[in-house]
Amino acid sequence: DTLGHGLYVTVVYDQNGLVQNVPTKDFEESGMTLEQLKDSAISNLTRAIKNQQITTMLHKTNDSIPFVLFTDSWMSASCILLPGIGDRLKGQLGSESLFVCLPHRDAMLVFPALSKEQTLKVQQFVKEKESDGAKPLSFEFFEIKDNKIKAIN
């Protein structure tokens, strides 16, 4: 599946912090449906947050815009796929619509809805703070609204 901004969803094996795509052969031999495989991956992400492999922290930008940072794991950016993530964070950030940036696989930053001007400032803030990630993804934003993910152009 594609998320947008050149990013795709894939299922991987964790090789002690290194990842390997699950080959089609392994998937076929597992006997699992694609839906079961997705459910298993989501369960693993949920467990990683509960076990604090992925940490979440509330921060503010230089302009005092609040955001939640998911970090400390190669799985952090994948948290955009967690069902109900929008519902979980909209109260904390005070917005029905959330803007998400996935600068690299070890970070996901979730902001309240931003104006065009704020988006440019926040994008610069994220570039300043998160440009050193080993596995870069995108400095573009996604919107989560009504638990649907949409790439913002």
Side-chain angles (χ1 to χ4, degrees):
D1 287 349
T2 181
L3 279 180
H5 303 308
L7 301 180
Y8 294 85
V9 177
T10 185
V11 179
V12 298
Y13 289 124
D14 178 2
Q15 308 282 340
N16 295 317
L18 299 173
V19 296
Q20 173 190 354
N21 288 347
V22 174
T24 304
K25 177 177 115 345
D26 289 9
F27 169 66
E28 290 168 351
E29 289 174 0
S30 76
M32 295 175 79
T33 65
L34 186 55
E35 203 57 42
Q36 289 170 323
L37 194 60
K38 286 180 180 179
D39 289 346
S40 177
I42 294 298
S43 293
N44 290 338
L45 271 179
T46 302
R47 189 171 34 261
I49 290 175
K50 285 181 182 168
N51 295 339
Q52 297 182 335
Q53 285 176 273
I54 301 170
T55 57
T56 60
M57 296 172 277
L58 182 62
H59 292 283
K60 289 191 176 187
T61 67
N62 301 338
D63 294 329
S64 297
I65 297 171
F67 68 95
V68 176
L69 172 65
F70 288 67
T71 190
D72 294 331
S73 171
W74 63 268
M75 298 179 280
S76 298
S78 300
C79 291
I80 193 171
L81 301 172
L82 287 171
I85 193 78
D87 289 338
R88 180 175 154 217
L89 296 178
K90 68 184 180 184
Q92 200 172 3
L93 294 172
S95 180
E96 288 292 317
S97 172
L98 302 175
F99 280 33
V100 180
C101 187
L102 308 171
H104 51 86
R105 73 175 189 178
D106 297 340
M108 177 173 87
L109 295 85
V110 184
F111 299 88
L114 302 167
S115 68
K116 291 230 184 257
E117 181 183 326
Q118 286 175 318
T119 299
L120 293 174
K121 285 183 180 179
V122 168
Q123 196 171 45
Q124 188 58 41
F125 171 82
V126 174
K127 286 178 182 177
E128 289 170 12
K129 301 292 184 187
E130 297 292 342
S131 287
D132 60 347
K135 303 288 183 179
L137 297 175
S138 175
F139 288 104
E140 300 298 321
F141 284 92
F142 296 88
E143 180 182 33
I144 296 178
K145 186 173 183 179
D146 300 325
N147 288 309
K148 291 183 177 62
I149 303 167
K150 177 179 90 173
I152 299 173
N153 297 317

